[in-house]
Amino acid sequence: MQMPDGNSIQTSSSDEQQPAAGAVPAIAPAWHTAVLILGILAISFSGSARVVPGVAHRPQNHLVTYATTAAMELLMLGWVALGLWLRRVPFRSLFGVIQRGVRGFAVDLGVAVVFWFGSMVVLGSIGLAWNAVEFAAAHKGAPPTPSQRMQPTAQQKQTLETLERLAPANGAEIAGWVALCLLVGPVEEAIFRGYLQRQFIAWSRGRVAVGVAASALMFGAAHGYEGARSMVLLAVFGALFSALALMRRGLRAGILAHSGHDLFVGLLLAFVRMHHLF
């Protein structure tokens, strides 16, 4: 529907039945959401089961890995689209309010950049606190030396090794990685912030905090291959993305931040690996 100012579109349908006051309608059947959740957890578990710390892994074809990941992402998005179709909910309603024009895009891009820097500060602070607690537990409260502060933990090494194996190593793989990041950002924001968050809010009778927390936990649980520490940090990251979506009343800023983050991390790891920095 065209907004009065002519500069934005609200991607909700006027055809939908209006809910009772205070109620939030579900956008797909409960069984449909349950199947999606089980699928996400199954993919995450199978990925984590293949990661064995300290065990050498066979070289993998990154382009095949990227293509397989893209296929799974699109399969999940197709499943989401089916659920919305069953309830006659427009697919584009997942993305919320989209500001038209160059100015609208520039605003969302600026918000995405600020959000990304702020979220990195938050996650970095949590990571440092986590490291301090782990060190205190392992060394009975003894203060760490400067060299110990710089030494990554076993979980951090495992996560770095896992991500390093996914990082692109040549021009073709970099192109594949860029394409994958441009796909994953919109797809995962649509699934976790557009679909699951709205479903959880509806199931909790309009409690936004419950929807945010549940979708954030699912976002963290979807990354089991990165280890428990990363799952916790990504759950926090997911909650921050949810707050951004609510603030902007749409997903575009989150999509830009999500795709940009994945792209930056992958290219950084590729640079680190090519220069043998770890």
Side-chain angles (χ1 to χ4, degrees), residues 48-101:
S48 63
R50 290 195 297 267
V51 178
V52 181
V55 175
H57 295 266
R58 292 182 303 173
Q60 56 182 326
N61 187 316
H62 287 164
L63 292 178
V64 172
T65 300
Y66 300 162
T68 303
T69 301
M72 289 191 296
E73 295 275 340
L74 290 173
L75 180 62
M76 289 192 293
L77 187 64
W79 182 255
V80 166
L82 173 63
L84 270 61
W85 178 80
L86 292 173
R87 286 290 176 87
R88 301 296 186 266
V89 176
F91 178 76
R92 65 179 185 174
S93 67
L94 292 180
F95 297 90
V97 176
I98 305 297
Q99 297 293 324
R100 285 181 171 177

Side-chain angles (χ1 to χ4, degrees), residues 1 13 21 28 33 43 52 56 70 76 79 129 144 161-162 173 187 200 208 216-218 233 235 242 259:
M1 181 178 69
S13 172
T33 306
I43 293 171
V52 181
M76 289 192 293
W79 182 255
E161 289 173 2
T162 302
E173 291 181 0
V187 169
F200 291 139
V208 175
L217 289 173
M218 279 302 306
L233 291 175
S242 291
S259 291

Side-chain angles (χ1 to χ4, degrees), residues 107-121 244 247 253 257:
V107 169
D108 276 333
L109 180 60
V111 170
V113 171
V114 173
F115 166 82
W116 184 78
F117 278 105
S119 61
M120 290 302 98
V121 171
L244 177 63
M247 180 189 73

